[in-house]
Amino acid sequence: MNLAPGSVRKEGSGLDLATAVAVLVAEGELSREQTDEYAFVAELGLDGALRRVPGTLSLVEAVEGSRVVVAEDAYAEARLGGEREVRCATKLKELVQCLRGEAPFDLPPPAPPTAKAEVTEDLRDVRGQPFGRRALEIAAAGGHHLLMVGPPGAGKTMLARRLPGLLPPLDKEAARVVTRIYSAGDFGVPTSVLITRPPFRAPHHSTTMVALVGGGSRALRPGEISAAHGGVLFLDELGEFSPVVLDALRQPLEDGVIRVSRAAGAVTFPAEFVLVGSMNPCPCGNAGSPGHCRCNDGARVRYARRLSGPLLDRFDMRLFVQRPSADELFRGKPGEPSAAVRKRVLAARRRAERRGVRYNSMLGSRLLEREAPLSPEAAALAERAVASGQLSARGLQRVRCVGLTICDLEGREPPLRGADLALALQLRTNPVSLDHSYAGSHVA
C-alpha cells in the first residue's frame, strides 16, 4: 500500500475501502490477481457497510483501474464518470466473496428517476417593472452582471429569482463540471443524474470569505462562487456583505475561475456565472422618496462606499428599481412569460456562438472591434462619454458588449445604432450615489 506523495496530507474516508482491501491482500485473504483490475472508492463503516463519499464522480474519473467498486448509493453517480465498468457492493464481506469469484456482484440498483424540471418562477408574475424585465433579458442573453438598487419591496429579489428561467440548459460538458462541483462540495443537491439546470445560489450576507470563494484550513472544497458555475450568483442586501468578501469577487468575475492557495495546497475551481446584486439605496432604504429617508448625507456616503469602485465597474448594468404603483399592482396586465423571453435569449446566444463565444460578455477587445462596429451616431455618443469621464476604456468595452446584446435580441446585424449605445450607457449609470434624482428616471 503506497500513500505517495507523502507531502500531501491524507484525510477523509475516501481511502477506507482501498486500505481495507490492501490489508486483506497482505494477509492472504485475497490474491493480488483478484484485485489488480479494480479500484475501490467508498467509506467503510464499523459494521463493514460500504458508504458513499463526497466527490465520488471526480474520484471515479481519476482512477486508473478499468473497474471501479463503489457503495450501492453511489452507483448512479459513479456511472456518470465515463466508460469505466462500475460495480457496487453493500458489505466488505460480500465484496471479498465477489472478488474471489464465490458470489456475483450485487445487481445495480434501479436507476433513479430523471429529475423533473422544477417549476421556475415566471416573469409573467411580475407586475410593472418594464425596465427591470428588459435588463434581466439582456443579462440572460449576454451573460452580463446586473446590479439592482431600490427600496424594500420594489421587486429586486423577485426579478433576480426569475433569471435562471431565462437561461438555456447546460450543455453536456458544463453539466458534468457542475455535477462534479456539487459532488465534491457536498452541497446537498442529488448528483445521481447530471445537473442540467443552471444553478441559482443566494448566500446570506453573513457568509464568510472561505464559504464564498472556497478553500478551508485542511481540505480544500469549492465555495458558493463555484456552486453558481454555469448559472446565477445572487447577492441580496449587497451593502451588508463584508467589503473584504465582496472584493474577493473581482478576480473570478474577470477570469471565470477562482484560484485558492492555502498551506495545504493550491487549487483552481470553476467560477463562471452571472452575478446579480441587489441593495437598498441607503441604510434606511427610502432614499429617493421625498420625506421618507431618515439618513443624513454622511450615512449615505458610508453606505455607498461599501461597494468599491473596481467591483462596481464589474457590473455591466446598474439600475434603480422603483416600487410598482397601485395601478400596476391591482390593474396591470400580466407580463410576457419567461418561455417567450427565453426564445429570444436562445436566439441571441446562437448569434454569440457564431462569433466563437458562448455569450457576448466573453468577447475580447479584438473580437469586439470586428463584431460590434459602431454607426457614426453611436461612435459620436461613445466619444462624448469617454471625453466627459463617464466611461473608462474598460467601461466603453462593456457598453459595446451590452449594445451588441441589445442588437442581437432585436434580431438585427451590427453596426450598433445610437439607440443601442444610449440604452447601454443609461444601464451603466451609477445608482449608488448621494444624488437620488435618478429614482424618477425611466428608460423607454
Side-chain angles (χ1 to χ4, degrees), residues 179-197:
T179 305
R180 287 191 205 108
I181 292 169
Y182 277 78
S183 172
D186 213 14
F187 289 100
V189 176
T191 53
S192 54
V193 294
L194 285 177
I195 298 172
T196 58
R197 287 180 52 79

mmCIF file with all atom_site columns, all heavy atoms in Angstrom, residues 179-197:
data_model
loop_
_atom_site.group_PDB
_atom_site.id
_atom_site.type_symbol
_atom_site.label_atom_id
_atom_site.label_alt_id
_atom_site.label_comp_id
_atom_site.label_asym_id
_atom_site.label_entity_id
_atom_site.label_seq_id
_atom_site.pdbx_PDB_ins_code
_atom_site.Cartn_x
_atom_site.Cartn_y
_atom_site.Cartn_z
_atom_site.occupancy
_atom_site.B_iso_or_equiv
_atom_site.pdbx_formal_charge
_atom_site.auth_seq_id
_atom_site.auth_comp_id
_atom_site.auth_asym_id
_atom_site.auth_atom_id
_atom_site.pdbx_PDB_model_num
ATOM 1   N N   . THR A 1 179 ? -21.925 19.055 -12.027 1.00 0.00 ? 179 THR A N   1
ATOM 2   C CA  . THR A 1 179 ? -22.197 17.869 -11.208 1.00 0.00 ? 179 THR A CA  1
ATOM 3   C C   . THR A 1 179 ? -20.972 17.502 -10.380 1.00 0.00 ? 179 THR A C   1
ATOM 4   O O   . THR A 1 179 ? -21.095 17.109 -9.206  1.00 0.00 ? 179 THR A O   1
ATOM 5   C CB  . THR A 1 179 ? -22.609 16.690 -12.105 1.00 0.00 ? 179 THR A CB  1
ATOM 6   O OG1 . THR A 1 179 ? -23.715 17.087 -12.930 1.00 0.00 ? 179 THR A OG1 1
ATOM 7   C CG2 . THR A 1 179 ? -23.043 15.505 -11.259 1.00 0.00 ? 179 THR A CG2 1
ATOM 8   N N   . ARG A 1 180 ? -19.756 17.632 -10.963 1.00 0.00 ? 180 ARG A N   1
ATOM 9   C CA  . ARG A 1 180 ? -18.535 17.373 -10.189 1.00 0.00 ? 180 ARG A CA  1
ATOM 10  C C   . ARG A 1 180 ? -18.432 18.332 -8.996  1.00 0.00 ? 180 ARG A C   1
ATOM 11  O O   . ARG A 1 180 ? -18.045 17.937 -7.890  1.00 0.00 ? 180 ARG A O   1
ATOM 12  C CB  . ARG A 1 180 ? -17.294 17.545 -11.076 1.00 0.00 ? 180 ARG A CB  1
ATOM 13  C CG  . ARG A 1 180 ? -17.074 16.442 -12.087 1.00 0.00 ? 180 ARG A CG  1
ATOM 14  C CD  . ARG A 1 180 ? -15.693 16.576 -12.720 1.00 0.00 ? 180 ARG A CD  1
ATOM 15  N NE  . ARG A 1 180 ? -15.652 15.956 -14.029 1.00 0.00 ? 180 ARG A NE  1
ATOM 16  C CZ  . ARG A 1 180 ? -15.597 16.620 -15.178 1.00 0.00 ? 180 ARG A CZ  1
ATOM 17  N NH1 . ARG A 1 180 ? -15.575 17.940 -15.169 1.00 0.00 ? 180 ARG A NH1 1
ATOM 18  N NH2 . ARG A 1 180 ? -15.566 15.980 -16.326 1.00 0.00 ? 180 ARG A NH2 1
ATOM 19  N N   . ILE A 1 181 ? -18.749 19.598 -9.229  1.00 0.00 ? 181 ILE A N   1
ATOM 20  C CA  . ILE A 1 181 ? -18.659 20.597 -8.163  1.00 0.00 ? 181 ILE A CA  1
ATOM 21  C C   . ILE A 1 181 ? -19.594 20.231 -7.014  1.00 0.00 ? 181 ILE A C   1
ATOM 22  O O   . ILE A 1 181 ? -19.212 20.253 -5.838  1.00 0.00 ? 181 ILE A O   1
ATOM 23  C CB  . ILE A 1 181 ? -18.997 22.002 -8.704  1.00 0.00 ? 181 ILE A CB  1
ATOM 24  C CG1 . ILE A 1 181 ? -17.915 22.479 -9.673  1.00 0.00 ? 181 ILE A CG1 1
ATOM 25  C CG2 . ILE A 1 181 ? -19.166 22.996 -7.561  1.00 0.00 ? 181 ILE A CG2 1
ATOM 26  C CD1 . ILE A 1 181 ? -18.289 23.725 -10.445 1.00 0.00 ? 181 ILE A CD1 1
ATOM 27  N N   . TYR A 1 182 ? -20.827 19.884 -7.352  1.00 0.00 ? 182 TYR A N   1
ATOM 28  C CA  . TYR A 1 182 ? -21.807 19.573 -6.303  1.00 0.00 ? 182 TYR A CA  1
ATOM 29  C C   . TYR A 1 182 ? -21.481 18.249 -5.616  1.00 0.00 ? 182 TYR A C   1
ATOM 30  O O   . TYR A 1 182 ? -21.801 18.058 -4.439  1.00 0.00 ? 182 TYR A O   1
ATOM 31  C CB  . TYR A 1 182 ? -23.218 19.554 -6.893  1.00 0.00 ? 182 TYR A CB  1
ATOM 32  C CG  . TYR A 1 182 ? -23.810 20.941 -6.990  1.00 0.00 ? 182 TYR A CG  1
ATOM 33  C CD1 . TYR A 1 182 ? -23.433 21.795 -8.020  1.00 0.00 ? 182 TYR A CD1 1
ATOM 34  C CD2 . TYR A 1 182 ? -24.706 21.403 -6.042  1.00 0.00 ? 182 TYR A CD2 1
ATOM 35  C CE1 . TYR A 1 182 ? -23.947 23.081 -8.108  1.00 0.00 ? 182 TYR A CE1 1
ATOM 36  C CE2 . TYR A 1 182 ? -25.224 22.681 -6.114  1.00 0.00 ? 182 TYR A CE2 1
ATOM 37  C CZ  . TYR A 1 182 ? -24.843 23.520 -7.152  1.00 0.00 ? 182 TYR A CZ  1
ATOM 38  O OH  . TYR A 1 182 ? -25.348 24.796 -7.217  1.00 0.00 ? 182 TYR A OH  1
ATOM 39  N N   . SER A 1 183 ? -20.849 17.327 -6.347  1.00 0.00 ? 183 SER A N   1
ATOM 40  C CA  . SER A 1 183 ? -20.421 16.075 -5.733  1.00 0.00 ? 183 SER A CA  1
ATOM 41  C C   . SER A 1 183 ? -19.283 16.317 -4.748  1.00 0.00 ? 183 SER A C   1
ATOM 42  O O   . SER A 1 183 ? -19.297 15.817 -3.621  1.00 0.00 ? 183 SER A O   1
ATOM 43  C CB  . SER A 1 183 ? -19.985 15.095 -6.819  1.00 0.00 ? 183 SER A CB  1
ATOM 44  O OG  . SER A 1 183 ? -19.405 13.942 -6.259  1.00 0.00 ? 183 SER A OG  1
ATOM 45  N N   . ALA A 1 184 ? -18.295 17.107 -5.154  1.00 0.00 ? 184 ALA A N   1
ATOM 46  C CA  . ALA A 1 184 ? -17.137 17.360 -4.298  1.00 0.00 ? 184 ALA A CA  1
ATOM 47  C C   . ALA A 1 184 ? -17.487 18.258 -3.121  1.00 0.00 ? 184 ALA A C   1
ATOM 48  O O   . ALA A 1 184 ? -17.003 18.063 -2.004  1.00 0.00 ? 184 ALA A O   1
ATOM 49  C CB  . ALA A 1 184 ? -16.011 17.989 -5.117  1.00 0.00 ? 184 ALA A CB  1
ATOM 50  N N   . GLY A 1 185 ? -18.346 19.256 -3.359  1.00 0.00 ? 185 GLY A N   1
ATOM 51  C CA  . GLY A 1 185 ? -18.694 20.191 -2.299  1.00 0.00 ? 185 GLY A CA  1
ATOM 52  C C   . GLY A 1 185 ? -19.749 19.677 -1.359  1.00 0.00 ? 185 GLY A C   1
ATOM 53  O O   . GLY A 1 185 ? -19.934 20.227 -0.269  1.00 0.00 ? 185 GLY A O   1
ATOM 54  N N   . ASP A 1 186 ? -20.452 18.590 -1.755  1.00 0.00 ? 186 ASP A N   1
ATOM 55  C CA  . ASP A 1 186 ? -21.496 18.010 -0.919  1.00 0.00 ? 186 ASP A CA  1
ATOM 56  C C   . ASP A 1 186 ? -22.491 19.089 -0.477  1.00 0.00 ? 186 ASP A C   1
ATOM 57  O O   . ASP A 1 186 ? -22.750 19.287 0.705   1.00 0.00 ? 186 ASP A O   1
ATOM 58  C CB  . ASP A 1 186 ? -20.880 17.323 0.302   1.00 0.00 ? 186 ASP A CB  1
ATOM 59  C CG  . ASP A 1 186 ? -21.680 16.100 0.724   1.00 0.00 ? 186 ASP A CG  1
ATOM 60  O OD1 . ASP A 1 186 ? -22.528 15.647 -0.050  1.00 0.00 ? 186 ASP A OD1 1
ATOM 61  O OD2 . ASP A 1 186 ? -21.459 15.621 1.851   1.00 0.00 ? 186 ASP A OD2 1
ATOM 62  N N   . PHE A 1 187 ? -23.065 19.791 -1.478  1.00 0.00 ? 187 PHE A N   1
ATOM 63  C CA  . PHE A 1 187 ? -23.973 20.899 -1.206  1.00 0.00 ? 187 PHE A CA  1
ATOM 64  C C   . PHE A 1 187 ? -25.407 20.450 -0.915  1.00 0.00 ? 187 PHE A C   1
ATOM 65  O O   . PHE A 1 187 ? -26.307 21.274 -0.810  1.00 0.00 ? 187 PHE A O   1
ATOM 66  C CB  . PHE A 1 187 ? -23.985 21.867 -2.394  1.00 0.00 ? 187 PHE A CB  1
ATOM 67  C CG  . PHE A 1 187 ? -22.727 22.660 -2.539  1.00 0.00 ? 187 PHE A CG  1
ATOM 68  C CD1 . PHE A 1 187 ? -21.758 22.293 -3.458  1.00 0.00 ? 187 PHE A CD1 1
ATOM 69  C CD2 . PHE A 1 187 ? -22.493 23.769 -1.751  1.00 0.00 ? 187 PHE A CD2 1
ATOM 70  C CE1 . PHE A 1 187 ? -20.587 23.026 -3.600  1.00 0.00 ? 187 PHE A CE1 1
ATOM 71  C CE2 . PHE A 1 187 ? -21.319 24.505 -1.873  1.00 0.00 ? 187 PHE A CE2 1
ATOM 72  C CZ  . PHE A 1 187 ? -20.368 24.134 -2.804  1.00 0.00 ? 187 PHE A CZ  1
ATOM 73  N N   . GLY A 1 188 ? -25.633 19.144 -0.826  1.00 0.00 ? 188 GLY A N   1
ATOM 74  C CA  . GLY A 1 188 ? -26.971 18.658 -0.534  1.00 0.00 ? 188 GLY A CA  1
ATOM 75  C C   . GLY A 1 188 ? -27.867 18.536 -1.751  1.00 0.00 ? 188 GLY A C   1
ATOM 76  O O   . GLY A 1 188 ? -29.072 18.339 -1.609  1.00 0.00 ? 188 GLY A O   1
ATOM 77  N N   . VAL A 1 189 ? -27.299 18.664 -2.943  1.00 0.00 ? 189 VAL A N   1
ATOM 78  C CA  . VAL A 1 189 ? -28.059 18.523 -4.181  1.00 0.00 ? 189 VAL A CA  1
ATOM 79  C C   . VAL A 1 189 ? -27.777 17.135 -4.763  1.00 0.00 ? 189 VAL A C   1
ATOM 80  O O   . VAL A 1 189 ? -26.617 16.744 -4.879  1.00 0.00 ? 189 VAL A O   1
ATOM 81  C CB  . VAL A 1 189 ? -27.662 19.611 -5.197  1.00 0.00 ? 189 VAL A CB  1
ATOM 82  C CG1 . VAL A 1 189 ? -28.375 19.406 -6.518  1.00 0.00 ? 189 VAL A CG1 1
ATOM 83  C CG2 . VAL A 1 189 ? -27.971 20.990 -4.633  1.00 0.00 ? 189 VAL A CG2 1
ATOM 84  N N   . PRO A 1 190 ? -28.811 16.341 -5.111  1.00 0.00 ? 190 PRO A N   1
ATOM 85  C CA  . PRO A 1 190 ? -28.570 14.994 -5.646  1.00 0.00 ? 190 PRO A CA  1
ATOM 86  C C   . PRO A 1 190 ? -27.696 15.032 -6.902  1.00 0.00 ? 190 PRO A C   1
ATOM 87  O O   . PRO A 1 190 ? -27.910 15.845 -7.794  1.00 0.00 ? 190 PRO A O   1
ATOM 88  C CB  . PRO A 1 190 ? -29.988 14.487 -5.976  1.00 0.00 ? 190 PRO A CB  1
ATOM 89  C CG  . PRO A 1 190 ? -30.894 15.310 -5.122  1.00 0.00 ? 190 PRO A CG  1
ATOM 90  C CD  . PRO A 1 190 ? -30.245 16.643 -4.992  1.00 0.00 ? 190 PRO A CD  1
ATOM 91  N N   . THR A 1 191 ? -26.706 14.151 -6.940  1.00 0.00 ? 191 THR A N   1
ATOM 92  C CA  . THR A 1 191 ? -25.808 14.082 -8.096  1.00 0.00 ? 191 THR A CA  1
ATOM 93  C C   . THR A 1 191 ? -25.893 12.717 -8.781  1.00 0.00 ? 191 THR A C   1
ATOM 94  O O   . THR A 1 191 ? -24.955 12.295 -9.450  1.00 0.00 ? 191 THR A O   1
ATOM 95  C CB  . THR A 1 191 ? -24.358 14.356 -7.657  1.00 0.00 ? 191 THR A CB  1
ATOM 96  O OG1 . THR A 1 191 ? -24.015 13.478 -6.577  1.00 0.00 ? 191 THR A OG1 1
ATOM 97  C CG2 . THR A 1 191 ? -24.184 15.789 -7.212  1.00 0.00 ? 191 THR A CG2 1
ATOM 98  N N   . SER A 1 192 ? -27.017 12.027 -8.581  1.00 0.00 ? 192 SER A N   1
ATOM 99  C CA  . SER A 1 192 ? -27.189 10.724 -9.235  1.00 0.00 ? 192 SER A CA  1
ATOM 100 C C   . SER A 1 192 ? -27.484 10.873 -10.721 1.00 0.00 ? 192 SER A C   1
ATOM 101 O O   . SER A 1 192 ? -27.366 9.919  -11.483 1.00 0.00 ? 192 SER A O   1
ATOM 102 C CB  . SER A 1 192 ? -28.313 9.949  -8.550  1.00 0.00 ? 192 SER A CB  1
ATOM 103 O OG  . SER A 1 192 ? -29.504 10.715 -8.504  1.00 0.00 ? 192 SER A OG  1
ATOM 104 N N   . VAL A 1 193 ? -27.903 12.046 -11.143 1.00 0.00 ? 193 VAL A N   1
ATOM 105 C CA  . VAL A 1 193 ? -28.068 12.356 -12.564 1.00 0.00 ? 193 VAL A CA  1
ATOM 106 C C   . VAL A 1 193 ? -27.354 13.676 -12.828 1.00 0.00 ? 193 VAL A C   1
ATOM 107 O O   . VAL A 1 193 ? -27.132 14.477 -11.910 1.00 0.00 ? 193 VAL A O   1
ATOM 108 C CB  . VAL A 1 193 ? -29.564 12.473 -12.959 1.00 0.00 ? 193 VAL A CB  1
ATOM 109 C CG1 . VAL A 1 193 ? -30.263 11.138 -12.833 1.00 0.00 ? 193 VAL A CG1 1
ATOM 110 C CG2 . VAL A 1 193 ? -30.273 13.531 -12.118 1.00 0.00 ? 193 VAL A CG2 1
ATOM 111 N N   . LEU A 1 194 ? -26.973 13.900 -14.075 1.00 0.00 ? 194 LEU A N   1
ATOM 112 C CA  . LEU A 1 194 ? -26.299 15.147 -14.425 1.00 0.00 ? 194 LEU A CA  1
ATOM 113 C C   . LEU A 1 194 ? -27.194 16.339 -14.119 1.00 0.00 ? 194 LEU A C   1
ATOM 114 O O   . LEU A 1 194 ? -28.404 16.320 -14.379 1.00 0.00 ? 194 LEU A O   1
ATOM 115 C CB  . LEU A 1 194 ? -25.928 15.152 -15.912 1.00 0.00 ? 194 LEU A CB  1
ATOM 116 C CG  . LEU A 1 194 ? -24.740 14.300 -16.338 1.00 0.00 ? 194 LEU A CG  1
ATOM 117 C CD1 . LEU A 1 194 ? -24.565 14.372 -17.848 1.00 0.00 ? 194 LEU A CD1 1
ATOM 118 C CD2 . LEU A 1 194 ? -23.459 14.736 -15.640 1.00 0.00 ? 194 LEU A CD2 1
ATOM 119 N N   . ILE A 1 195 ? -26.598 17.362 -13.569 1.00 0.00 ? 195 ILE A N   1
ATOM 120 C CA  . ILE A 1 195 ? -27.326 18.602 -13.281 1.00 0.00 ? 195 ILE A CA  1
ATOM 121 C C   . ILE A 1 195 ? -27.339 19.433 -14.561 1.00 0.00 ? 195 ILE A C   1
ATOM 122 O O   . ILE A 1 195 ? -26.293 19.923 -14.996 1.00 0.00 ? 195 ILE A O   1
ATOM 123 C CB  . ILE A 1 195 ? -26.658 19.370 -12.126 1.00 0.00 ? 195 ILE A CB  1
ATOM 124 C CG1 . ILE A 1 195 ? -26.680 18.524 -10.851 1.00 0.00 ? 195 ILE A CG1 1
ATOM 125 C CG2 . ILE A 1 195 ? -27.356 20.705 -11.896 1.00 0.00 ? 195 ILE A CG2 1
ATOM 126 C CD1 . ILE A 1 195 ? -25.879 19.128 -9.708  1.00 0.00 ? 195 ILE A CD1 1
ATOM 127 N N   . THR A 1 196 ? -28.486 19.570 -15.163 1.00 0.00 ? 196 THR A N   1
ATOM 128 C CA  . THR A 1 196 ? -28.575 20.285 -16.439 1.00 0.00 ? 196 THR A CA  1
ATOM 129 C C   . THR A 1 196 ? -29.222 21.648 -16.306 1.00 0.00 ? 196 THR A C   1
ATOM 130 O O   . THR A 1 196 ? -29.177 22.443 -17.239 1.00 0.00 ? 196 THR A O   1
ATOM 131 C CB  . THR A 1 196 ? -29.376 19.460 -17.462 1.00 0.00 ? 196 THR A CB  1
ATOM 132 O OG1 . THR A 1 196 ? -30.687 19.188 -16.934 1.00 0.00 ? 196 THR A OG1 1
ATOM 133 C CG2 . THR A 1 196 ? -28.678 18.146 -17.760 1.00 0.00 ? 196 THR A CG2 1
ATOM 134 N N   . ARG A 1 197 ? -29.834 21.925 -15.156 1.00 0.00 ? 197 ARG A N   1
ATOM 135 C CA  . ARG A 1 197 ? -30.443 23.241 -14.957 1.00 0.00 ? 197 ARG A CA  1
ATOM 136 C C   . ARG A 1 197 ? -29.398 24.219 -14.440 1.00 0.00 ? 197 ARG A C   1
ATOM 137 O O   . ARG A 1 197 ? -28.614 23.879 -13.547 1.00 0.00 ? 197 ARG A O   1
ATOM 138 C CB  . ARG A 1 197 ? -31.595 23.161 -13.958 1.00 0.00 ? 197 ARG A CB  1
ATOM 139 C CG  . ARG A 1 197 ? -32.849 22.495 -14.499 1.00 0.00 ? 197 ARG A CG  1
ATOM 140 C CD  . ARG A 1 197 ? -33.930 22.456 -13.425 1.00 0.00 ? 197 ARG A CD  1
ATOM 141 N NE  . ARG A 1 197 ? -34.151 23.765 -12.835 1.00 0.00 ? 197 ARG A NE  1
ATOM 142 C CZ  . ARG A 1 197 ? -34.868 24.729 -13.404 1.00 0.00 ? 197 ARG A CZ  1
ATOM 143 N NH1 . ARG A 1 197 ? -35.432 24.513 -14.570 1.00 0.00 ? 197 ARG A NH1 1
ATOM 144 N NH2 . ARG A 1 197 ? -35.029 25.890 -12.816 1.00 0.00 ? 197 ARG A NH2 1
#
